Amino acid sequence: LATGPRQNNSVFYEIRTYDIKPSKMKEFVEMVNKYFHLRTAHSELVGFWSAELGAMNKVVHVWKYENFAQRTAVRHALANDNDWQGKFISAALPLMEKQHNEVAYLVPWCQLGKPPKEGGVYEWVTFQMKPGGPALWGEAFQAAISAHINTGYTKLIGVFHTEYGLLNTVHVIWWNESPDHRAAGRHSAHEDARVVAAVRDSVRFLESQKNMLLIPLQCSPLK
């Protein structure tokens, strides 16, 4: 089952997750910071983060494409970019243990946001919803997200649902000033009757949930 309605354009986002060998994480991040301008010359990078909590030795990066034809052209150009292949890919691949990618769309009621300032942390929350897509769980899920936004303790960056990869998966990106600010806000939200009611309604459709605290890399547009 497809995940259902999306924004009325062809724009999509590729979410790439790499597991890095534990002893090679520092080396990998240094290579990204040194050479990733070669990659961003080809297409738009939304954000690039390393996991601090909830996962270890993992990086997540998100790319924006206008359509699938653009992605095909970009991938072809990268394969023929000698600098990119020689300076980064050939050296980076031996540092990785696993690669995973998904294609996702912003949900129709969400625009990609930006943090109010640099220097914070990002929370990446992945929800596995029951099969059926937003036609089944969309309203309840939106209400739960909106209830958290309305508390004012956190900033919503984006809500994505998958088109390729495990379906009925929703990724939500939040921004907070610090891990402690996030913890205090979550405590307040859990005591807010509006949040409790909205979450109680939405979890009827929830299969599982996982979150990571992410730190933006130097090359990340979202910092």
Side-chain angles (χ1 to χ4, degrees), residues 20 28 31 87-96:
I20 310 302
F28 180 84
M31 286 188 58
K87 294 179 179 178
F88 184 82
I89 293 296
S90 61
L93 285 178
L95 311 182
M96 301 181 193

Side-chain angles (χ1 to χ4, degrees), residues 81-129:
D81 185 327
N82 291 332
D83 274 350
W84 172 244
Q85 294 294 328
K87 294 179 179 178
F88 184 82
I89 293 296
S90 61
L93 285 178
L95 311 182
M96 301 181 193
E97 290 191 326
K98 186 168 60 177
Q99 294 176 289
H100 175 71
N101 76 332
E102 299 169 285
V103 165
Y105 293 93
L106 282 171
V107 296
W109 43 270
C110 173
Q111 298 292 325
L112 191 62
K114 292 183 178 181
K117 60 181 180 180
E118 293 186 2
V121 295
Y122 292 79
E123 184 178 10
W124 184 289
V125 189
T126 298
F127 299 89
Q128 187 60 42
M129 309 302 291

Side-chain angles (χ1 to χ4, degrees), residues 186-204:
R186 291 285 289 178
H187 181 75
S188 298
H190 290 161
E191 295 182 344
D192 189 312
R194 298 166 299 173
V195 175
V196 172
V199 169
R200 183 180 292 124
D201 186 48
S202 68
V203 295
R204 296 181 293 125

Side-chain angles (χ1 to χ4, degrees), residues 16-71:
R16 299 179 71 93
T17 305
Y18 298 165
D19 290 332
I20 310 302
K21 293 178 181 178
S23 63
K24 300 297 184 180
M25 187 65 181
K26 182 175 182 291
E27 182 180 349
F28 180 84
V29 170
E30 289 174 349
M31 286 188 58
V32 169
N33 288 332
K34 184 175 182 179
Y35 292 117
F36 226 61
H37 65 281
L38 300 172
R39 174 62 184 84
T40 55
H42 290 274
S43 65
E44 181 179 349
L45 176 65
V46 174
F48 200 129
W49 303 268
S50 63
E52 181 71 14
L53 297 172
M56 297 182 69
N57 304 300
K58 187 183 293 288
V59 297
V60 182
H61 39 126
V62 179
W63 300 87
K64 179 180 178 181
Y65 292 102
E66 296 299 321
N67 49 50
F68 287 97
Q70 185 205 3
R71 183 185 183 276

Side-chain angles (χ1 to χ4, degrees), residues 6 22 76 79 90 92 106 120 122 135 139 155 169 179-180 206:
R6 58 177 182 260
H76 178 77
S90 61
L106 282 171
Y122 292 79
E139 289 186 8
K155 165 71 175 175
T169 300
D180 286 322
L206 182 64

